[in-house]
């Protein structure tokens, strides 16, 4: 397959929009993430969805149980990235707030959330995010903002951070599952 054929096949995939100036690889990754999140979460036995290791050293995401990871991703999509996207497009050099994961988990009682509802809400929110990104222009990609904890960025940077956040939580779920499996082995 030639480089042009690869580019064409990426652009034709479901997540990519030829009208958007955001690269097809990033759009495709963002579009694929809800199914990946659901598949990774499904690896957890029901009894392990709330399980936490004795120590979180080495976790590649925030220290959250499986159900808390799903709820966190949902809330960061809606209250974090969607708001940041809208503000970066509408305001000149806005300061974009970071959200307190621990406070959200505690206040919104992530551990008591219904996994199917949380996954469905996240998938709906991601579709809305993708709709926001569908017609981004090259001029909008260079809009500036400041992200608390990250510093100055462009709109394009913000979208890459969102994609990175997704991948961190897939890694976090795998890490928790690895810790759970190791703990089960120790009890046998």
């Amino acid at each position: 397959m030639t480089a042009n054929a690869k580019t064409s096949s990426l652009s034709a995939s479901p997540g990519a929009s030829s009208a958007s100036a955001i690269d097809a690889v990033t759009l495709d990754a963002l579009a694929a993430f809800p199914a990946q999140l659901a598949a990774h979460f499904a690896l957890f036995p029901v009894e392990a969805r709330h399980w936490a290791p004795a120590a979180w050293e080495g976790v590649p995401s925030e220290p959250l149980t499986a159900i808390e990871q799903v709820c966190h991703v949902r809330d960061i999509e809606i209250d974090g990235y969607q708001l940041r996207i809208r503000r970066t497009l509408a305001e000149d050099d806005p300061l974009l707030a970071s959200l307190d994961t621990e406070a959200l988990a505690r206040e919104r009682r992530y551990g008591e959330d219904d996994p199917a509802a949380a996954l469905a809400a996240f998938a709906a929110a991601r579709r809305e995010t993708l709709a926001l990104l569908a017609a981004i222009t090259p001029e909008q990609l260079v809009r500036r903002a400041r992200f608390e904890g990250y510093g100055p960025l462009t709109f394009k940077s913000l979208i890459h951070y969102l994609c990175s956040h997704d991948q961190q939580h897939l890694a976090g779920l795998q890490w928790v599952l690895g810790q759970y499996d190791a703990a089960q082995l120790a009890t046998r």
Side-chain angles (χ1 to χ4, degrees):
M1 184 180 279
T2 67
N4 287 342
K6 286 181 186 176
T7 303
S8 295
S9 69
L10 285 174
S11 297
S13 64
S17 169
S18 59
S20 182
I22 298 170
D23 65 275
V25 171
T26 302
L27 287 174
D28 288 345
L30 292 171
F33 181 65
Q36 293 172 341
L37 180 66
H40 279 69
F41 182 77
L43 294 172
F44 285 83
V46 172
E47 67 275 7
R49 292 176 176 178
H50 298 89
W51 181 86
W56 288 97
E57 185 176 321
V59 67
S61 65
E62 289 89 345
L64 299 167
T65 66
I67 184 59
E68 291 170 340
Q69 296 259 356
V70 170
C71 294
H72 167 78
V73 167
R74 174 200 61 206
D75 289 352
I76 295 303
E77 184 80 9
I78 297 165
D79 299 332
Y81 280 97
Q82 286 182 358
L83 180 60
R84 293 172 190 137
I85 288 166
R86 287 183 177 102
R87 289 192 62 212
T88 302
L89 292 173
E91 300 173 29
D92 290 329
D93 198 28
L95 176 60
L96 309 174
S98 250
L99 300 177
D100 183 340
T101 299
E102 290 179 22
L104 282 175
R106 187 176 51 257
E107 292 163 9
R108 297 181 182 184
R109 302 167 70 147
Y110 284 175
E112 298 173 26
D113 217 320
D114 174 56
L119 287 164
F122 171 70
R126 179 52 58 92
R127 285 190 298 275
E128 185 178 334
T129 300
L130 290 168
L132 289 169
L133 300 179
I136 295 300
T137 66
E139 295 78 24
Q140 290 171 312
L141 285 180
V142 297
R143 289 192 60 81
R144 294 180 175 270
R146 292 164 289 122
F147 193 168
E148 183 181 21
Y150 289 84
L153 52 69
T154 63
F155 184 84
K156 184 177 179 182
S157 306
L158 182 64
I159 303 311
H160 288 301
Y161 291 158
L162 170 58
C163 195
S164 170
H165 184 261
D166 288 353
Q167 300 309 307
Q168 289 168 353
H169 285 283
L170 291 182
L173 284 168
Q174 286 291 339
W175 185 90
V176 171
L177 192 58
Q179 292 287 310
Y180 174 77
D181 288 344
Q184 297 312 298
L185 179 64
T187 62
R188 290 183 192 139

